Amino acid sequence: MAERLVVIGGDAAGMSAASQARKRRPVGDLSVVAFEKGRYTSYSACGIPYWVGGLVDDSSELIARKPEVFRDDFDIDVRTRHEVVDIDLDRREVVAVALDEGRREVREPFDQLVYATGALPIHPPWAVEGVRGVFGVQTLDDGDALHAWLHRDPKPKHAVVVGGGYIGVEMAEAMINRGLSVTLIERGAQPMSTVDPDMGKLVADTMRTLGVDVRSGLAVTGLDHRDDVVSAVHTDQGSIPADVVVLGLGIRPNTALASTAGLPLGPTGGVRVDLRMRVIGKEGVWAVGDCVESVHRVTGQPVHIPLGTHANKQGRVAGINIGGGYATFPGVIGTAVTRVCGLEVARTGLLSREADAAGYSFVTATVESTNRAGYFPGADPMTIKLLAERGTGRLLGAQIVGRSEAAKRIDPLAVALWNNMTVEEMVGLDLGYAPPYAPVWDPVLIAARKTVDALGVL
Amino acid sequence: MAERLVVIGGDAAGMSAASQARKRRPVGDLSVVAFEKGRYTSYSACGIPYWVGGLVDDSSELIARKPEVFRDDFDIDVRTRHEVVDIDLDRREVVAVALDEGRREVREPFDQLVYATGALPIHPPWAVEGVRGVFGVQTLDDGDALHAWLHRDPKPKHAVVVGGGYIGVEMAEAMINRGLSVTLIERGAQPMSTVDPDMGKLVADTMRTLGVDVRSGLAVTGLDHRDDVVSAVHTDQGSIPADVVVLGLGIRPNTALASTAGLPLGPTGGVRVDLRMRVIGKEGVWAVGDCVESVHRVTGQPVHIPLGTHANKQGRVAGINIGGGYATFPGVIGTAVTRVCGLEVARTGLLSREADAAGYSFVTATVESTNRAGYFPGADPMTIKLLAERGTGRLLGAQIVGRSEAAKRIDPLAVALWNNMTVEEMVGLDLGYAPPYAPVWDPVLIAARKTVDALGVL
């Protein structure tokens, strides 16, 4: 009899694992069933802000592979609108309910289990159940609901975005593009706390220029509603009218099921896995994607960094291993890029506050340069900030804010950091140079030079 | 008395050395004299095709620092239009002639000498002395002359570019942009031999689409002229009318002076230097820029790769060392990027023929991907080819051809290669992901995956 693989969660991580395993083991050797609570599989949640903002025409474009493709081309039995409600590790079966069939119960036995439930938006205590017009943007179903809300009659006019992280700033821009008035509420001193404050200020200033009412140091205390529809957001500094509210308060690993089943959770709240994506101490159980925690390669500490690129890599690794191969997920270094209000923002490694928290003694250097040779048409300014450890000179982190061809310059920095390069070694790097693509000293190299100067080692 | 530094050649390499040395040692400690044969200092020769093509308005924009800036801000005695005609290592002085003063002779003693004479375009035997309308494009003076020629009355209409390397293809595009008919003559099987033939074909096909008459496997045998002005190019397969001819046959280190003075030359024809840019065996003599040879970090062999980015780094290294600090130039890995006919072309490491010549056993993999998420506006196709060593899986080389946001993706590949990463390790790299900047699997990672498959190690 074929071995039975059950996958809980049909997005990137789960379906990557399923299809990798399938590629290596035919149907007679491995049967694969995947349960997905929503209606979609393998979609780009990261694309939701662009769809809501009107840059992408239809949510279907965000779907990499539809359930029928998995069924027809991969012989994977995908069951959408099926919510798994229990994992019984002793009997080795999962219990699911078919949401569109009166919650009919389905029991599915497994030999191998992939837990890929993703993450959930953090719902604050003030987000009253039953009030309409308040949205997370974690799943494509969330995005569908928000998109429909923005097109209701009469159209919403006043958006409040709560939280100034990636999703918050991207959604603020999306709604500005939709013609709404937008207020962004950030509890901290400044939105975009995913970069150092001096770099985040460049972003906040630009958001204001484009018309986003950025309010920092403000705590939301409650909602007002009229006929069950949100009408205002209350804060500790007054009320803000709102007919649509977007929650950008971050997300947390979706581990309710895992927890009940006794899967180990780490300090970040994510499922604990080893290098091969096996759940620690649970034979034949794997976990991948936004529900797990990873190791940060710089600090060696566990981190929860939910990103599609990690989810895909982890799914591939689990799938190769389930398929009888050998693969490992080597951890993360915190690389992230985003586009907001015409700016490109990027980071890798540790921010200043993270390097402080990890106990590093370090220097920083910030440089202004351009994406192309200064004389070349389309040359735009770019700011790069580097952190390097005192004593060793090792690169600890990098941040970039620019207008064009800036964000992906984080990649050579990420590879340098991945390989524990010192900033002095980096000055010698043979990066691509031609006037349409870089000044003769690439901004990355200029930043490395200035950081060497800051270390005072020459 | 101050130590005396004399620099021969006032472009990027020489002037970087001069200004770095000056920054570290005040005038009373170090006097600096720089001789430059031409009228300009520190300019971007790589920008010449864009100026000739009309993308850059004025050649003055290509000049990073004018002689008077070096004089006024750096106390460097720059003497333009001075040609050094002899280096006397025994008397430790150079002999120069002032070109605009009847070749008046100047003798300048030195304690430290920086040899930075750059490179010279290869002039083929058929390039008859005295025939006007035939141009190299190595110096800004060359560019000035070509630019003036293109604006003479009547304007030239038929351009022939001889040689299909970087300069050749860039100049072919520049003249198409100027409205000339352009024939590109390449002796080999295909232009753009700076990438593998399969990748070069993508470029040649596009050049043809834009109207460049690309002729391969053709040898030039002579020129015709009328009233001392070029009128046709003769080849072994017939004549091509021409009223302007551009030489893109490559360049060679400018070492006539060095050779006479007894400086050691390597197998590539470049001056031999150590890691600190000291000329081997010659105390107090340094050489930097297009006139030297470098070490290729992959093969360990000497190479001559004339590029502004190396010249600047080498100048900085020599200047720091002359200034009393310590710096080394770690070698090159052959990274190069160019834009031609709307394509971005990039490479790093070894091409297939170079890997063969170096005796490597290797696999290649070529992938098609996009610069952005497929659903994101502006997503353009991109082809990436990787070479990896059999057995070790080490990355040996990478090539990219794409339409936008493609060329600089060579940088993370270059840093990975610099650090001797295997393609299997590269699959795990934490590169920046967001829909405006990459598919969820960055093209670089997809290429690494396919190369792992080609190695058959999983």
Side-chain angles (χ1 to χ4, degrees), chain A residues 36-306:
Chain A
E36 164 56 39
K37 185 179 173 185
R39 293 175 291 148
Y40 305 106
T41 50
S42 288
Y43 57 87
S44 169
C46 335
I48 295 174
Y50 308 106
W51 170 49
V52 172
L55 268 176
V56 175
D57 290 335
D58 196 284
S59 68
S60 66
E61 295 181 44
L62 304 184
I63 300 170
R65 279 184 186 146
K66 294 184 177 177
E68 42 279 28
V69 175
F70 286 109
R71 277 184 214 116
D72 299 346
D73 298 353
F74 289 84
D75 276 313
I76 293 170
D77 180 6
V78 180
R79 307 193 195 156
T80 52
R81 296 289 290 155
H82 277 66
E83 179 178 4
V84 174
V85 293
D86 192 38
I87 302 169
D88 189 332
L89 284 182
D90 295 328
R91 301 181 58 175
R92 296 198 79 77
E93 64 179 28
V94 300
V95 183
V97 294
L99 298 176
D100 296 335
E101 301 167 44
R103 298 187 69 88
R104 177 177 61 80
E105 194 177 282
V106 181
R107 288 181 171 265
E108 192 68 37
F110 64 81
D111 301 298
Q112 304 287 334
L113 179 70
V114 172
Y115 187 86
T117 53
L120 295 170
I122 292 170
H123 271 267
W126 47 259
V128 192
E129 192 73 29
V131 172
R132 294 158 65 215
V134 182
F135 301 89
V137 276
Q138 177 59 11
T139 67
L140 201 47
D141 287 298
D142 292 339
D144 270 342
L146 169 58
H147 195 269
W149 187 262
L150 292 176
H151 289 79
R152 74 199 294 254
D153 192 21
K155 283 194 179 178
K157 290 199 182 73
H158 304 290
V160 170
V161 177
V162 185
Y166 291 114
I167 289 290
V169 297
E170 286 170 5
M171 290 307 301
E173 178 178 18
M175 310 242 247
I176 283 278
N177 289 347
R178 281 278 176 203
L180 284 81
S181 82
V182 179
T183 303
L184 177 79
I185 299 180
E186 164 62 37
R187 184 196 286 264
Q190 187 171 268
M192 211 65 209
S193 61
T194 49
V195 290
D196 280 357
D198 51 339
M199 300 293 276
K201 184 171 189 305
L202 303 175
V203 181
D205 290 349
T206 302
M207 292 184 75
R208 288 194 175 96
T209 306
L210 293 192
V212 177
D213 179 16
V214 178
R215 306 219 193 153
S216 303
L218 208 66
V220 175
T221 54
L223 293 180
D224 240 357
H225 53 96
R226 203 176 302 138
D227 304 330
D228 290 340
V229 170
V230 69
S231 60
V233 174
H234 297 310
T235 77
D236 54 5
Q237 293 168 49
S239 281
I240 303 162
D243 40 23
V244 55
V245 173
V246 174
L247 301 177
L249 292 164
I251 56 180
R252 56 181 176 78
N254 180 2
T255 54
L257 267 181
S259 181
T260 307
L263 304 190
L265 305 183
T268 70
V271 179
R272 289 184 61 210
V273 292
D274 69 9
L275 270 176
R276 297 184 70 186
M277 305 312 294
R278 294 180 288 217
V279 174
I280 304 283
K282 301 290 174 185
E283 184 67 28
V285 183
W286 312 74
V288 289
D290 290 357
C291 59
V292 306
E293 65 180 26
S294 302
V295 174
H296 198 295
R297 289 172 62 93
V298 178
T299 63
Q301 296 299 309
V303 285
H304 179 241
I305 301 183

Side-chain angles (χ1 to χ4, degrees), chain B residues 189-214:
Chain B
Q190 187 172 267
M192 210 68 208
S193 61
T194 50
V195 290
D196 279 357
D198 52 339
M199 300 293 276
K201 183 171 188 309
L202 304 174
V203 181
D205 290 349
T206 302
M207 292 184 75
R208 287 194 175 94
T209 307
L210 293 191
V212 178
D213 179 16
V214 178

Side-chain angles (χ1 to χ4, degrees), chain A residues 314-339:
Chain A
Q314 292 168 345
R316 171 180 173 272
V317 165
I320 289 173
N321 289 321
I322 293 168
Y326 181 91
T328 57
F329 181 74
V332 301
I333 55 172
T335 310
V337 295
T338 188
R339 195 178 81 160

Side-chain angles (χ1 to χ4, degrees), chain B residues 186-191 193 197 208 215-218:
Chain B
E186 164 62 36
R187 181 195 289 264
Q190 187 172 267
S193 61
R208 287 194 175 94
R215 305 219 192 153
S216 303
L218 208 67

